[in-house]
Each structure stands twice: as structure tokens, then as C-alpha cells.
Amino acid sequence: MPIRTPVVTVVFAGVPEPPMSPELDVVAHSPDEREAISHATALRPDVLVLLVRPPSLDGLTVTREVSSRFPGTAVLVLTPPGDNETWVAAIRAGARGVLARTAGPEDLVRAIHGVAAGAVVFGEHAANRLYGLLNASRPIQVFPQLTAREHEVLDLLAGGLGIPAVARRLGLAPKTVRNVLSAVHAKVGTDDREVLLTQARNAGLGRYS
């Protein structure tokens, strides 16, 4: 007898057109990725398929919360093609798989079944980029527009340290730290400290401060 593929319960959030497949039971479909947390809470699907849209990165916040609160729900993130920073951040946030949002329906269905079965799934292009990054001479770094010092200051602030504590940690004057922070704000494109730190934490900074 042929082996029957189990039906997977899925919530789609931020995905314009979920694939039609008898192997999927789509229990919710929301155009807004921020509604995914309430759907995951109420429905506890096998898989949450989530579109992450830079620069807001709300989907990374959702990924982190669902992955931590509902470990039985695997998160599969769809990212813009070629966006290394976002897909690396998605894995750091707890996603079980990453595909380009341009992936075809068959690839998406296969990826959903893969993460539902406990596998870690990358699309072909994401896997190639991961291989290249792991074999590069420099480490993977989010916010590549920042200098090493700016990245270091942002990492410490995202970890909960205040400016005086960051200054002591790095052996700098508080005024210098403020100047570095101003440069970070300008490069990232936000004047709001909380927005900046939220983006940094969503991208995986601040964990080891």
C-alpha cells in the first residue's frame, strides 16, 4: 500500500496566496503577520508560515514569541530573495525553515512538511548563501553597514546595558558612546531608541551582553 502523507495544520500570516494542497489543512490565513500570535495561541497549528517584511521586521518578533511559547508549532519564514541579513535573523529568532517568498507552491508544501516533521529546511538559494557565509573569512554579522565599534555598542545596549555601563565595559567616555549611538541611529534610519533596540534584538543582538 502507498504511504499516505499526513495532513499538516497550517496558519499563514502575511502570505498573499497560500498554496492549495490536500496535504494541508489551512486553519487560518491573515494578511497581517502580527495576527499570527493570536492564531497560534488559539489554534496551535503544526506549522506557522510567516512573511517577514523589512524594514519593520515584525515577523521576527512573531517568530521569536511563537517559537518560545509554542514549541509544538514550527515556524517557516519567507524572506525577500537575496536578503542574507533577514534570513539569518529568522534562524536566530527560532525559525525551523527559511524560503524565499518567491518559492513555488510545490517547494512551499514540501518545506511545510519538512519543518512539521522536525527537519530544518532551507530553500536552495538560502542553503547556498549559508554555505558561503559559513566559509567566508568574516563572521556573519547583522547590520553590515555598521563599523565594528558601532556594532559592539548596539549589541551591549540591546542586551540591556545603559550608556554608562557600556562606557565602562568598553573603556570609553559616556559622551563617546552617545556619539557612536547617534551614528548608529543615522545608519539604521531611526531616531527612536526603542525602535532601534527592538530591531537589534529581533536580529539576534543582545543575547550575550
Side-chain angles (χ1 to χ4, degrees):
M1 294 181 61
I3 299 175
R4 297 183 61 184
T5 302
V7 175
V8 176
T9 58
V10 189
V11 167
F12 287 90
V15 181
E17 295 184 10
M20 302 294 293
S21 171
E23 300 172 5
L24 305 181
D25 178 11
V26 180
V27 293
H29 174 215
S30 169
D32 188 341
E33 62 270 21
R34 290 169 295 186
E35 295 179 8
I37 294 174
S38 60
H39 289 316
T41 302
L43 302 170
R44 305 296 175 91
D46 298 318
V47 178
L48 167 64
V49 180
L50 186 66
L51 179 62
V52 174
R53 313 171 198 255
S56 71
L57 301 182
D58 288 332
L60 295 179
T61 301
V62 173
T63 298
R64 180 173 290 107
E65 183 162 353
V66 171
S67 298
S68 62
R69 290 177 58 191
F70 311 113
T73 296
V75 180
L76 175 64
V77 166
L78 306 183
T79 68
D83 188 341
N84 293 355
E85 182 177 329
T86 299
W87 75 259
V88 170
I91 294 299
R92 288 176 168 171
R96 294 287 300 176
V98 179
L99 288 181
R101 66 186 181 195
T102 53
E106 293 182 358
D107 290 335
L108 182 52
V109 171
R110 281 195 294 269
I112 290 169
H113 276 283
V115 297
V120 176
V121 176
F122 298 117
E124 178 182 353
H125 297 298
N128 289 339
R129 293 198 301 274
L130 177 62
Y131 180 83
L133 288 168
L134 290 176
N135 286 278
S137 58
R138 61 184 180 84
I140 296 172
Q141 178 173 309
V142 296
F143 299 109
Q145 70 271 41
L146 303 183
T147 67
R149 175 65 81 191
E150 290 164 353
H151 196 276
E152 188 175 28
V153 167
L154 180 57
D155 188 31
L156 292 172
L157 290 170
L161 297 183
I163 286 177
V166 171
R168 288 193 296 272
R169 176 77 67 92
L170 300 179
L172 302 172
K175 182 179 179 180
T176 301
V177 174
R178 292 189 184 93
N179 289 339
V180 172
L181 181 58
S182 295
V184 172
H185 277 290
K187 290 183 179 181
V188 175
T190 176
D191 293 327
D192 189 308
R193 173 85 64 86
E194 287 306 313
V195 169
L196 174 65
L197 296 184
T198 296
Q199 290 183 2
R201 293 177 188 122
N202 285 344
L205 298 185
R207 294 188 178 186
Y208 308 106
S209 300

